[in-house]
Amino acid sequence: MTEKQFELIDRATERKSELPVRTGTIGPAVVDISSINKDLGLFTYDPGFGLTAATESRITYIDGDAGVLLYRGYPVEQLAEKSSFMEVAYLLLLGELPSRKQLEGFSGSIRYHTMINETLLRFFNGFHHNAHPMAMVSAVVASMSAFYHDTMDIHNPRQREIFAHRIIAKIPTIAAAAHKHSLGQPFIYPRNDLGYCSNALHMLFAVPCEPYQVDSVAAEALDLLFILHADHEQNASTSTVRLAGSTGANPYAAISAGVSALWGPAHGGANEAVLSMLEQIGSVDNIAKYLAMAKDKSSHFRLMGFGHRVSTNFDPRAKIIREMCHKVLVRLGRPDNPLLELALRLEEIALKDEYFISRKLYPNVDFYSGIIYSAIGIPRSMFTVMFAIARTVGWVAHWQEMISDPAMRIGRPRQLYTGPTRRDYIDITKRV
Ligand code: CMC
């Protein structure tokens, strides 16, 4: 909807450009700058895309200042309390909460697709045992584009739906296979009588030589973490999936690009980095030293799990996970967790510190999640993989939204060129 417009005037030439303002349903309006190159010969400059709305979207809304996160309009707190990851996946993909019958149909289809082609398993043998599981998952997901190339017409809605169900179903299987490869244990086939999270835990932890009983506390905790990680609007990995997908690339390849983008410590890789940092800090006595390092730009040390480009107040997901930490540890019979105590003290001290207050740096979703992952037996190198399993739903929802939009264009940012101006080639014998 266009309600008002700005006028941009080049004072030197008196040329003008009318910039319409477009409003969404909630949140800041955007200035549509599409005419300024034609009218004024300008591009806009926004490194890090901090102020650029690259797309319209109906999936997720964040008000970082108010600590609000909505999936298709529903507050994440309500979904965390009342919903399940499968229901949230349906909601994100299709826009509405499912009826019981729709949910059964959707979960059944996800269950149906959990196995991976046997030849995909051989890919893991190409990796050294200590390969990082994110590298393995990214590579194996990318290789799925080779398995499903001829049957993946991105303009065919049914084929897009099958892709969506396949990747959501198979990503835990691939993740678990990566983990088993790291351990040198045999791959465990999915069990389609189990729910999504119970099956993931079964594939991660069962061994063929003895029965394995899924811990319901662990499965519930995982389900909740997956709900909280499922989407976060145009974050770096989702934007990567959109950009790669905008070329018409095979969507498995686009999802693999998302996995790679998520791995970085500024993004999903922070959950692994937080636990390493807490261990490095070691005790409450060392907090002051590490906070001083975090404030000293020359140290290149950042308080991992703190700060967010968009969440400039307490991240609602961090609040839920912090509360959940205590409950899960008590229910698992391990109420005393020194790393949780240290994290709580670190948060308390940092939030009273002028540096963190003035920059609005609060704990983010990754600050406490690793403590729960650890408590349910997931090794540190797998934390970001777990994040990737959940975020696959968001990536797929955004890819679907983009591909089904008739106005879709290839993503192609511009630049402010600061390199050498035109110059003539110098023969190698004449160069100094
Ligand atoms: N520790 C210390 N200083 C920080 C931190 C931090 N964690 N985060 C930001 N700052 C400072 C930064 O140095 C800068 O200070 P100044 O204004 O004096 O130059 C100011 O705060 C703004 O930071 P920025 O780097 O310009 O902010 P950004 O929006 O580009 O970066 C961020 C956001 C998440 C990458 C950053 O806060 C960070 O590196 N945090 C630690 C890593 C982390 O926890 N990442 C997970 C993000 S949440 C989950 C997800 O998205 O996957």
Side-chain angles (χ1 to χ4, degrees):
M1 199 202 310
T2 302
E3 280 172 354
K4 57 177 179 179
Q5 56 184 25
F6 290 101
E7 194 175 60
L8 197 64
I9 305 174
D10 180 343
R11 295 256 174 254
T13 61
E14 291 301 318
R15 283 165 72 195
K16 290 181 188 161
S17 188
E18 308 282 358
L19 308 179
V21 173
R22 301 182 59 196
T23 52
T25 44
I26 33 173
V30 300
V31 180
D32 183 343
I33 51 98
S34 51
S35 62
I36 65 163
N37 185 258
K38 182 169 62 71
D39 295 341
L40 304 175
L42 296 174
F43 296 133
T44 54
Y45 181 65
D46 182 20
F49 309 120
L51 299 170
T52 295
T55 184
E56 265 184 49
S57 182
R58 296 162 175 262
I59 301 173
T60 291
Y61 174 74
I62 305 170
D63 180 339
D65 287 337
V68 169
L69 171 60
L70 310 177
Y71 291 166
R72 301 282 190 182
Y74 295 101
V76 77
E77 293 87 345
Q78 290 182 21
L79 295 169
E81 191 191 332
K82 298 175 182 166
S83 186
S84 67
F85 179 61
M86 271 300 98
E87 190 175 59
V88 165
Y90 184 101
L91 173 70
L92 286 168
L93 290 173
L94 296 160
E96 297 298 334
L97 287 169
S99 66
R100 195 179 294 278
K101 196 161 165 250
Q102 286 167 327
L103 182 59
E104 275 167 15
F106 176 73
S107 310
S109 177
I110 299 293
R111 263 197 270 266
Y112 175 76
H113 286 290
T114 49
M115 272 179 50
I116 54 176
N117 190 302
E118 207 64 14
T119 52
L120 262 181
L121 284 176
R122 291 193 216 132
F123 278 66
F124 288 95
N125 292 332
F127 290 100
H128 205 252
H129 68 90
N130 61 2
H132 196 285
M134 279 299 272
M136 291 192 261
V137 170
S138 174
V140 172
V141 170
S143 76
M144 286 175 76
S145 56
F147 286 77
Y148 302 107
H149 188 64
D150 294 341
T151 53
M152 189 56 251
D153 172 4
I154 59 169
H155 301 296
N156 179 327
R158 177 63 187 140
Q159 290 193 13
R160 289 206 300 266
E161 184 182 50
I162 295 173
F163 151 74
H165 293 194
R166 263 194 191 129
I167 187 67
I168 292 167
K170 292 183 200 308
I171 189 97
T173 315
I174 294 170
H179 177 52
K180 289 297 188 189
H181 180 75
S182 306
L183 295 177
Q185 287 182 2
F187 168 71
I188 299 292
Y189 285 93
R191 263 185 55 192
N192 291 354
D193 59 319
L194 296 174
Y196 192 83
C197 290
S198 296
N199 181 42
L201 292 170
H202 155 77
M203 291 188 291
L204 284 165
F205 298 129
V207 285
C209 48
E210 51 190 58
Y212 174 76
Q213 187 64 39
V214 176
D215 184 332
S216 62
V217 176
E220 274 175 45
L222 199 56
D223 200 79
L224 183 52
L225 285 173
F226 280 4
I227 291 174
L228 300 175
H229 279 109
D231 194 38
H232 213 231
E233 52 117 304
Q234 312 304 325
N235 57 86
S237 57
T238 302
S239 296
T240 301
V241 171
R242 277 186 178 262
L243 196 58
S246 78
T247 67
N250 184 297
Y252 295 99
I255 298 293
S256 159
V259 174
S260 300
L262 184 74
W263 191 9
H267 194 7
N271 54 13
E272 190 181 333
V274 168
L275 232 70
S276 305
M277 176 190 77
L278 289 174
E279 276 186 5
Q280 201 184 338
I281 295 175
S283 102
V284 174
D285 300 338
N286 294 328
I287 289 179
K289 181 175 125 198
Y290 280 90
L291 280 188
M293 264 165 68
K295 294 190 268 184
D296 173 8
K297 303 274 188 270
S298 66
S299 77
H300 299 292
F301 173 81
R302 283 193 165 196
L303 207 53
M304 299 313 287
F306 258 73
H308 197 279
R309 171 69 60 79
V310 181
S311 294
T312 44
N313 193 332
F314 220 108
D315 185 334
R317 302 169 300 171
K319 230 184 237 176
I320 297 169
I321 298 177
R322 188 180 57 182
E323 281 162 25
M324 185 182 157
C325 272
H326 281 299
K327 286 188 202 149
V328 171
L329 291 170
V330 168
R331 286 181 65 194
L332 288 171
R334 277 168 267 152
D336 301 319
N337 183 308
L339 287 186
L340 175 60
E341 297 314 316
L342 185 59
L344 288 167
R345 281 294 288 150
L346 181 57
E347 177 196 318
E348 193 186 323
I349 296 169
L351 292 186
K352 286 186 189 139
D353 189 302
E354 180 50 29
Y355 176 93
F356 291 89
I357 296 170
S358 61
R359 289 170 180 76
K360 299 185 178 175
L361 301 171
Y362 288 86
N364 59 48
V365 67
D366 290 323
F367 193 62
Y368 289 106
S369 62
I371 292 173
I372 299 186
Y373 283 137
S374 277
I376 61 180
I378 291 168
R380 199 173 304 173
S381 62
M382 284 292 290
F383 290 177
T384 315
V385 173
M386 304 312 284
F387 190 160
I389 295 175
R391 186 56 60 85
T392 295
V393 166
W395 294 330
V396 172
H398 282 269
W399 178 84
Q400 280 270 34
E401 183 179 67
M402 179 185 70
I403 297 288
S404 50
D405 179 355
M408 181 192 108
R409 300 172 77 196
I410 185 172
R412 185 23 174 120
R414 302 306 299 251
Q415 64 172 6
L416 174 65
Y417 177 70
T418 52
T421 54
R422 188 196 181 285
R423 47 186 173 163
D424 288 325
Y425 181 81
I426 303 166
D427 191 86
I428 196 161
T429 55
K430 296 191 179 132
R431 285 175 224 161
V432 280

